[in-house]
Amino acid sequence: MLIAAALAFVLGVLAALPLPVLPPPGWLVVAALVLSPGWRRPLVRLAGVALLGFCWSLWPLSVPLCQPFPDELVRVPLVVEGRVDALPVRRGGATRFTFLIEHASAAGESVEFTGRVSLSWYRDAPLLSPGQRWRLPVRLKPVHGYANPGGFDYERWLFARRVVATGNLRAGEPPRLLDPAPSGYRLARLRQRLADHLAATLGERPALGAVQALTLGLRDALTPRDWEVLTRTGTNHLLAISGLHVAVIATAVFWLARLLWSRSRRLSLWLAAPRAAALFAAGAALGYAALAGFAISTQRALIMLAVVLGALFWRRPLRPWQGVVLALAGVVALDPLAPLGVGFWLSFGAVAAILLALTGRLPSRSPWRRWGQVQWAVSIGLLPLLLLLFARASLVAPLVNLVAVALFSLLLPLLLVAAVLSLLPGLAAPLHAVAWLLEQGLAGLGWIADQPWAAFALAARPPWVWLAAILGVALLLAPRGLPGRWLGLVGLAALALVRPQPPPPGALWLTLVDVGQGLAVVARTHEHTLVYDTGPGFASGFETGSAVLVPLLRAQGVERVDRLVISHADRDHAGGLAGLRRGVEVRRVDSGEPAALGLDGVGRCRAGQGWSWSGVRFRFLYPVTGGGSGNDASCVLRIEVGDVSVLLTGDIGAAVERQLVARHGAALRSRVLVLAHHGSASSSSAALLDAVDPELALVASGYANHYGFPAETVCARLIARDIETRGTAHEGALTLRLDAEGLSIEPGWRARHDRLWRHRPAAGCAPRCPWACGRARTLSAWFVPLPAPLTAPTCRERAPAISRTD
């Protein structure tokens, strides 16, 4: 019954996470009252435990949801006081850190906002230390990430860490250190000193990032190339402290302690060697987890290890599946938001795969055979999860991990010992020796990762396909005597054979990608794909080509880009070019500024050039002559599907718009217009809007961008002409479908994938929390569900009235 209750508790916690809003509290009370009379019945009791788990998750959910950062304070100059709440990260000339705000004010008046925020300090940032109390001038905005198919869910990642806003320091009042570092942050400061010591000892060695990751759980020094190598070889788990690392250290300490303890008769009579070894192993695991800052992954490992070692110490029989379920319940009880992290599913998925493959079988006499069975179980067992979570998986992972994990298990204890010895004067040589071994291993992995057959990507699949694949893997890993194991191949076959359908001949699917303050458009026909602009790149090295466009193309099943049009060379349009070309094959590149891109073989787009793909016509309308530069060199592209057309205008200004109107006149008419220059007041003139006469205007801009795009004057022109306006800032990626029957536009990605952590711009006061905004003071708030929050339109009705002839 205990195991069933633990599983019911876990299911109750999991049931709360996919909700779009928190339920009214009154219905939870009613549910408890309904269940209470039948408490003695086992099924009713389990339902009550599940309800308890559901309610247990509401507190950590309600804290960020009921006290969100107010939209009305977006980019308002604030002065905040609080403490540095975690180890700062220095990268690309900026320092990024988590800050716990204790008090905030605007224009000298107190603001009712406290909570954890993520800040960036770009200029003259001092060496920050956890626990320091600062007074900082900042600008903040709610957590708002890119919202696209296949992309990384930045909002979920920060929500799981209780971060409710992001921002940066602003010019104005100078930052002031109020208090150095209190005693409560001793562990964090110790980890920072150790990280600085490792950096000073190893200098510029390539293995520095790997050493810091394995000893302290700090992965900030790892380069994008390092992560690409680890991902393509399926070994990224080796440099992220998790259950494997804790288990290696605990196992090594357990066997060493047991060996030494058993040599003393007096100690063995006082406490049996296995029980004493369990205590030493638990202490070693706790110390290693402390070095890693008690990251979520190490917390999971500690709980799982505590269940196993506790059963050993108290001499309780524990079946493997019972241990997994109890550890699972312990993890979600300690942190109900843990399932929001992919590591949660990969950790328990790996353990479940091993148990499925080995439980109920006679153990092999060969240790290498047993080791191979474990690696095969993990590789095949996690395959559906890896493809579901990351849209790609490594083909070489089983063979690579067969060797890498074994070598790593020997190297990790040596590394920790060498790191400790390096703290003593003159004993840095062992650390350099281990670092050299790590460098050789990473070089070997790099060679394997560079092979084209090392990994493969998979497009998005319907939910039933993923369920069939997971069940299929479970059948394949089950004992041989189970009837129907062959059906597991059917589940995996569905994963391989069911593919997303491309647009039919004569149709166009166009996606305005959410790349923040930039532009990227993906246009797909039956057999071809065009990408218009690639979004921004930043000085830190982050760019939207590899981070946004490549995952989106993979999710859509696109393996190559037949034509890439870079409207002009500004960083917010061409910043993702290199990342896109690294991730997918690009057959042809055209641009309005080909020389500025720094690539060979780039063509120049010219007015009159055109081509046809599967009945869809593409034609450049501008520039007429080459040699231009800047915004007004942008390629203007018109896409026609029957009588429906889309006009892409890059960053052209009003002067170029007048040229287009004079040259083409009524031929510019298009049902869809992507506004030039993100809705800037210098573009989207009345003359162009009247000539194009669109039904729908799309705006690619960043949420709360400091330019104020789309401009109020542009919004007023659109409103005066009854032009529907949609934008990526509030809705995420927008997908249009054009065919001979007309035009349809899907709801934005945010609306189609609404979750508790998803930001809803201008959705009102605490839109997902029934207890906020004074609602709890009314009886109806306890039972009436919250109305669906409104999504702010791209252009608001507050824009001043301007006539159609302005």
Side-chain angles (χ1 to χ4, degrees):
M1 186 63 185
L2 175 63
I3 302 303
L7 190 58
F9 178 83
V10 172
L11 293 176
V13 172
L14 295 179
L17 298 181
L19 298 177
V21 295
L22 294 180
W27 290 109
L28 301 178
V29 176
V30 170
L33 294 176
V34 169
L35 293 174
S36 57
W39 182 250
R40 294 186 178 182
R41 298 179 181 178
L43 291 179
V44 175
R45 193 176 302 174
L46 291 178
V49 175
L51 180 63
L52 176 63
F54 186 91
C55 296
W56 181 257
S57 66
L58 294 183
W59 170 248
L61 288 172
S62 63
V63 170
L65 294 177
C66 295
Q67 298 176 350
F69 183 75
D71 276 315
E72 57 268 20
L73 293 180
V74 170
R75 301 204 63 81
V76 171
L78 299 176
V79 176
V80 297
E81 295 180 6
R83 297 191 183 275
V84 179
D85 198 41
L87 266 67
V89 177
R90 298 182 67 89
R91 180 182 296 169
T95 298
R96 292 174 175 80
F97 58 101
T98 303
F99 194 71
L100 183 61
I101 294 180
E102 300 168 349
H103 178 265
S105 61
E109 299 291 332
S110 295
V111 174
E112 293 185 5
F113 172 70
T114 59
R116 300 185 77 198
V117 300
S118 178
L119 294 177
S120 296
W121 195 329
Y122 288 106
R123 297 186 184 90
D124 303 322
L127 293 177
L128 301 176
S129 179
Q132 288 180 339
R133 194 165 185 270
W134 284 84
R135 179 183 176 89
L136 303 174
V138 299
R139 295 184 191 272
L140 299 175
K141 64 179 181 180
V143 173
H144 186 98
Y146 302 125
N148 300 286
F152 174 66
D153 197 336
Y154 180 66
E155 296 172 17
R156 182 182 67 183
W157 185 75
L158 287 181
F159 183 82
R161 286 156 179 77
R162 279 77 168 177
V163 173
V164 296
T166 61
N168 56 272
L169 270 69
R170 59 179 176 83
E173 177 182 336
R176 184 154 58 99
L177 178 63
L178 303 178
D179 183 12
S183 58
Y185 288 81
R186 286 177 179 173
L187 177 59
R189 297 204 308 276
L190 172 63
R191 295 178 65 231
Q192 187 177 45
R193 286 197 294 269
L194 291 175
D196 294 339
H197 165 75
L198 292 175
T201 302
L202 295 177
E204 299 296 325
R205 295 200 70 127
L208 173 62
V211 170
Q212 289 183 335
L214 291 172
T215 54
L216 300 171
L218 301 177
R219 294 171 283 173
D220 308 312
L222 294 171
T223 65
R225 164 64 180 174
D226 293 332
W227 283 118
E228 182 68 14
V229 167
L230 296 170
T231 300
R232 287 184 60 82
T233 56
T235 54
N236 45 358
H237 62 97
L238 294 181
L239 294 188
I241 294 180
S242 60
L244 173 64
H245 304 69
V246 176
V248 167
I249 297 302
T251 301
V253 171
F254 179 89
W255 290 111
L256 180 62
R258 182 175 180 175
L259 176 64
L260 297 177
W261 193 274
S262 62
R263 290 182 175 273
S264 171
R265 186 176 177 213
R266 178 177 299 179
L267 291 176
S268 298
L269 290 174
W270 178 65
L271 185 65
R275 301 181 69 192
L279 293 177
F280 281 105
L286 183 64
Y288 187 43
L291 276 179
F294 291 109
I296 295 175
S297 57
T298 59
Q299 293 176 18
R300 290 195 300 267
L302 278 178
I303 293 174
M304 296 178 70
L305 190 65
V307 171
V308 175
L309 294 179
L312 177 62
F313 183 83
W314 280 288
R315 300 174 181 175
R316 302 290 184 184
L318 183 67
R319 296 178 179 177
W321 284 108
Q322 292 176 334
V324 172
V325 173
L326 290 176
L328 187 63
V331 168
V332 298
L334 181 65
D335 182 13
L337 301 187
L340 294 180
V342 296
F344 172 89
W345 300 100
L346 295 178
S347 296
F348 285 102
V351 174
I354 294 172
L355 293 182
L356 275 172
L358 301 183
T359 303
R361 292 175 171 84
L362 292 176
S364 173
R365 294 182 180 180
S366 170
W368 285 107
R369 183 178 177 84
R370 291 197 300 270
W371 181 250
Q373 289 175 337
V374 169
Q375 293 306 315
W376 167 254
V378 171
S379 299
I380 192 67
L382 292 184
L383 180 63
L385 274 178
L386 289 172
L387 291 173
L388 175 62
L389 297 172
F390 303 110
R392 61 174 176 168
S394 173
L395 288 173
V396 299
L399 292 177
V400 171
N401 280 293
L402 186 65
V403 178
V405 175
L407 295 177
F408 165 82
S409 300
L410 297 174
L411 191 61
L412 179 59
L414 295 177
L415 174 61
L416 293 179
V417 172
V420 172
L421 291 177
S422 70
L423 297 173
L424 303 176
L427 290 180
L431 182 60
H432 281 280
V434 176
W436 181 84
L437 292 175
L438 277 174
E439 289 166 2
Q440 305 314 303
L442 291 174
L445 291 177
W447 180 86
I448 297 174
D450 289 337
Q451 308 308 311
W453 38 261
F456 72 102
L458 195 72
R461 297 291 194 268
W464 71 266
V465 173
W466 297 112
L467 179 60
I470 293 173
L471 293 177
V473 164
L475 284 174
L476 291 176
L477 295 177
R480 293 182 180 179
L482 182 68
R485 287 179 68 243
W486 62 272
L487 292 174
L489 296 175
V490 177
L492 288 182
L495 188 63
L497 297 177
V498 177
R499 297 173 176 268
Q501 294 298 314
L508 173 76
W509 293 353
L510 184 142
T511 301
L512 182 66
V513 187
D514 179 11
V515 290
Q517 189 57 33
L519 177 64
V521 179
V522 175
R524 298 174 58 207
T525 66
H526 183 64
E527 296 179 332
H528 299 85
T529 299
L530 175 139
V531 173
Y532 183 96
D533 284 341
T534 59
F538 301 92
S540 64
F542 178 85
E543 39 77 25
T544 53
S546 59
V548 176
L549 278 176
V550 172
L552 182 145
L553 292 171
R554 286 175 180 163
Q556 295 181 345
V558 175
E559 299 178 355
R560 71 174 188 273
V561 173
D562 298 282
R563 198 155 188 161
L564 171 61
V565 178
I566 303 296
S567 62
H568 63 302
D570 281 4
R571 191 172 62 180
D572 57 337
H573 293 251
L577 172 59
L580 177 64
R581 295 179 72 241
R582 285 195 305 268
V584 297
E585 176 190 359
V586 178
R587 292 192 168 181
R588 175 170 177 168
V589 182
D590 293 306
S591 177
E593 295 183 284
L597 298 181
L599 298 177
D600 295 330
V602 179
R604 184 183 296 276
C605 49
R606 293 182 183 276
Q609 293 178 343
W611 67 96
S612 179
W613 287 341
S614 303
V616 179
R617 299 182 300 278
F618 298 79
R619 185 161 60 98
F620 287 121
L621 305 184
Y622 184 85
V624 178
T625 59
S629 63
N631 290 345
D632 285 346
S634 296
C635 306
V636 177
L637 179 65
R638 192 168 191 259
I639 309 175
E640 301 175 2
V641 183
D643 296 331
V644 184
S645 58
V646 179
L647 190 62
L648 306 176
T649 54
D651 271 358
I652 61 172
V656 175
E657 291 178 352
R658 288 192 294 270
Q659 294 180 38
L660 286 172
V661 173
R663 182 179 177 88
H664 299 282
L668 286 175
R669 189 177 301 275
S670 301
R671 291 184 64 178
V672 181
L673 171 66
V674 179
L675 293 185
H677 204 185
H678 322 288
S680 164
S682 62
S683 305
S684 303
S685 61
L688 182 72
L689 293 178
D690 290 338
V692 177
D693 193 23
E695 297 177 7
L696 175 65
L698 302 180
V699 185
S701 62
Y703 171 73
N705 64 86
H706 61 276
Y707 302 104
F709 295 158
E712 287 191 357
T713 53
V714 172
C715 287
R717 293 172 190 148
L718 296 169
I719 292 170
R721 291 161 175 80
D722 295 325
I723 299 172
E724 180 185 1
T725 310
R726 306 282 293 273
T728 57
H730 295 86
E731 300 184 68
L734 294 166
T735 299
L736 285 67
R737 297 179 182 245
L738 296 79
D739 53 31
E741 297 181 359
L743 164 70
S744 64
I745 180 169
E746 297 179 354
W749 193 91
R750 290 185 177 277
R752 288 186 287 116
H753 298 83
D754 195 16
R755 297 293 185 271
L756 284 169
W757 57 86
R758 191 79 62 225
H759 178 222
R760 293 174 175 176
C765 182
R768 302 178 191 272
C769 179
W771 306 285
C773 312
R775 283 176 53 87
R777 290 193 292 268
T778 65
L779 183 61
S780 63
W782 283 76
F783 295 97
V784 179
L786 286 167
L790 298 175
T791 297
T794 299
C795 286
R796 306 172 190 274
E797 296 295 341
R798 61 178 174 80
I802 298 180
S803 69
R804 293 182 63 92
T805 58
D806 65 305

